[in-house]
Amino acid sequence: MKKKSTLTNLLEYLEVLTKAKDDHLSVDVNYLDCRKAFDTVPHRRLIAKLEALGVEGNVLSWISSFLLNRRQRVSIRGSTSGWLPVDSGVPQGSVLGPILFLFYINDLVDGLECPILLFADDAKIFKTIKSQDDVDMLRRDMLKIERWSEKWLLTFNEEKCATMHIGKNNLKADYTINNRTLNETELEKDLGVFVSHDLNPSQHVAKVAAKANGIIGLVKKNFDYLDAETILSIHCTMIRPTLEYAVQCWSPYLVKDIEELEKIQHRITKLVPGLQDVPYEERCKRLNLQTLVQRRQRGDLIEVYKILRGHEGSDYTKFFKLRSGNTRGHNWKLEKKEQHRSLMRGGWFAIRVVNPWNDLPHYVVNAPTIATFKTRLDKHFGEIQTNSVR
């Protein structure tokens, strides 16, 4: 969806969780997994929903023709099976298929009392737990979700659904779906990011570092010789994206984690012929690479710009508070919404970006477009680096 992404989903979600944990509150999260979601959407019910939403005439006829009376068969090495009717599911690999699925699942949130976040067929419902009343509220919502599932024939995979209890004094209540108690989890892969019950990003750092090191190992095993251009291409297309996917929501704050990630770029740049004995910072300079620490700060500032200027589908007041009154420097300065108590909250996106953002010059912050902001930001960083060398 426009202005919505896995990153905005995770930022809004973890903003609530990190704030609650920093305030010594408990949060219960129920992760829900739909069983073969895209393949089990009933066609007739989907068309009924579209009609209820006001889709009619030729558009409805066209969509009905797209869905109904489909058949499929399997062909392997010239042998084919018989034709079978396809009575459910939205065709994957198409543009229309995922959109139709969104129409089908979107009313899952209607009537719920607790916050719920959807991203296609991934759903998580959560509640800050201060008393048994909060537990009961979340349980009622789980029952509503179960009834919605029964009505619309989109079932949940009970074995893959799980509950995460966050906070030291958590009541650790049980939650059920389809009369089955959800498994308790301390680590959940949520939209590609591993979220732990203590909200420490170390376990995610370890996993992405292991994946990136595995890629480097395969490169060394399968290539006898690599020139600088090839190594940079592999790094920028395969390794660095692994280390930076949605990094704004899990950026490490512990020195050991920061160093573990930086060692990966240290290792790949050392494969460049003639640079094995050159210091890491000099290697980055010759290869025109920023350190991963610098890349993460750059990504943070770009995301702040997008949120403040409405390029993301998130209300900036969920994260930031604009500084009131006359301010020196630019007119988009932020102030921290609260004093954090823990290192975890202090390292969180909404807190760590305030000072670097406020230190940016006027001409960078007031860039008219995202592309211009990136260009001016890189120029600003370059001037800082030049001045520091002097």
Side-chain angles (χ1 to χ4, degrees):
M1 295 177 65
K2 187 177 182 180
K3 297 186 178 182
K4 297 287 187 179
S5 66
T6 54
L7 176 58
T8 57
N9 183 297
L10 289 166
L11 284 176
E12 291 187 13
Y13 170 57
L14 291 171
E15 169 65 18
V16 175
L17 267 56
T18 57
K19 178 66 169 66
K21 193 171 189 301
D22 194 58
D23 290 338
H24 303 297
L25 298 174
S26 298
V27 181
D28 282 351
V29 184
N30 290 333
Y31 288 96
L32 306 176
D33 182 85
C34 292
R35 191 190 304 273
K36 297 181 180 179
F38 281 77
D39 296 327
T40 57
V41 173
H43 293 160
R44 295 293 179 184
R45 281 174 167 78
L46 173 56
I47 292 170
K49 279 197 174 186
L50 293 174
E51 287 181 298
L53 290 168
V55 180
E56 56 186 13
N58 290 337
V59 174
L60 185 65
S61 298
W62 177 64
I63 294 174
S64 298
S65 177
F66 178 71
L67 291 173
L68 301 177
N69 301 318
R70 279 182 172 268
R71 296 186 303 158
Q72 65 183 14
R73 65 178 180 177
V74 177
S75 178
I76 301 176
R77 295 177 181 176
S79 299
T80 57
S81 68
W83 288 100
L84 289 174
V86 180
D87 298 323
S88 64
V90 290
Q92 297 186 55
S94 64
V95 174
L96 188 58
I99 294 173
L100 292 175
F101 180 80
L102 292 182
F103 278 121
Y104 196 76
I105 199 174
N106 225 30
D107 64 347
L108 172 65
V109 306
D110 292 351
L112 299 182
E113 300 173 85
C114 300
I116 183 170
L117 288 171
L118 296 176
F119 194 92
D121 60 332
D122 287 296
K124 47 185 173 278
I125 183 169
F126 51 97
K127 176 66 178 171
T128 302
I129 306 297
K130 299 179 182 178
S131 67
Q132 184 62 38
D133 290 341
D134 296 316
V135 173
D136 293 339
M137 182 184 296
L138 185 50
R139 284 175 173 167
R140 287 196 301 272
D141 278 353
M142 290 297 293
L143 183 58
K144 293 175 185 175
I145 289 171
E146 186 176 326
R147 289 172 178 167
W148 181 94
S149 169
E150 293 171 354
K151 177 180 179 180
W152 295 106
L153 304 182
L154 197 64
T155 60
F156 291 97
N157 189 338
E158 297 90 348
E159 293 180 359
K160 292 186 178 180
C161 296
T163 297
M164 181 180 288
H165 299 298
I166 297 169
K168 290 183 178 179
N169 300 316
N170 196 295
L171 298 174
K172 295 194 173 181
D174 291 333
Y175 301 93
T176 63
I177 192 164
N178 298 332
N179 296 318
R180 176 167 178 160
T181 302
L182 301 187
N183 297 321
E184 185 176 340
T185 181
E186 293 188 347
L187 184 69
E188 190 72 15
K189 190 175 184 180
D190 186 359
L191 300 179
V193 174
F194 288 92
V195 178
S196 65
H197 72 288
D198 59 2
L199 304 181
N200 187 320
S202 292
Q203 291 191 68
H204 181 78
V205 169
K207 289 182 180 295
V208 297
K211 184 177 179 180
N213 279 319
I215 296 171
I216 296 175
L218 287 172
V219 169
K220 293 175 69 175
K221 182 179 178 180
N222 290 283
F223 290 88
D224 293 328
Y225 177 80
L226 289 165
D227 57 21
E229 183 179 353
T230 304
I231 291 174
L232 282 175
S233 178
I234 292 171
H235 178 52
C236 294
T237 58
M238 298 178 65
I239 298 173
R240 200 165 65 184
T242 300
L243 303 175
E244 294 183 345
Y245 166 72
V247 70
Q248 290 86 348
C249 69
W250 60 265
S251 185
Y253 51 83
L254 298 178
V255 173
K256 69 178 184 66
D257 293 335
I258 294 171
E259 291 178 346
E260 184 173 4
L261 293 179
E262 204 67 52
K263 284 178 183 177
I264 296 167
Q265 184 163 281
H266 186 288
R267 184 182 174 196
I268 189 69
T269 55
K270 209 164 187 179
L271 297 179
V272 177
L275 296 184
Q276 291 87 344
D277 299 323
V278 176
Y280 173 60
E281 290 76 12
E282 181 62 24
R283 289 203 302 275
C284 288
K285 184 177 179 181
R286 293 189 189 182
L287 296 170
N288 197 28
L289 289 173
Q290 293 177 314
T291 66
L292 296 182
V293 172
Q294 292 168 335
R295 291 271 307 173
R296 288 195 293 273
Q297 186 179 74
R298 178 181 184 271
D300 278 351
L301 295 172
I302 292 170
E303 187 62 23
V304 175
Y305 177 88
K306 288 181 178 180
I307 292 173
L308 288 177
R309 296 303 185 89
H311 295 288
E312 302 282 39
S314 297
D315 182 355
Y316 76 84
T317 59
K318 293 180 179 179
F319 307 101
F320 312 123
K321 180 180 179 182
L322 289 176
R323 188 178 294 179
S324 58
N326 294 326
T327 59
R328 298 180 63 184
H330 62 79
N331 55 348
W332 287 91
K333 288 202 171 183
L334 308 174
E335 60 181 72
K336 295 177 182 178
K337 296 176 71 173
E338 81 278 338
Q339 293 298 317
H340 60 274
R341 301 175 177 85
S342 63
L343 186 62
M344 175 273 302
R345 179 65 177 173
W348 169 244
F349 170 75
I351 305 298
R352 70 173 183 264
V353 298
V354 171
N355 290 339
W357 174 263
N358 289 344
D359 289 340
L360 290 177
H362 181 276
Y363 82 96
V364 175
V365 171
N366 286 282
T369 65
I370 298 173
T372 306
F373 177 81
K374 291 178 180 178
T375 300
R376 293 180 181 180
L377 182 63
D378 290 338
K379 180 182 177 182
H380 172 64
F381 282 158
E383 291 171 350
I384 292 176
Q385 189 173 6
T386 301
N387 293 333
S388 63
V389 171
R390 293 175 184 172

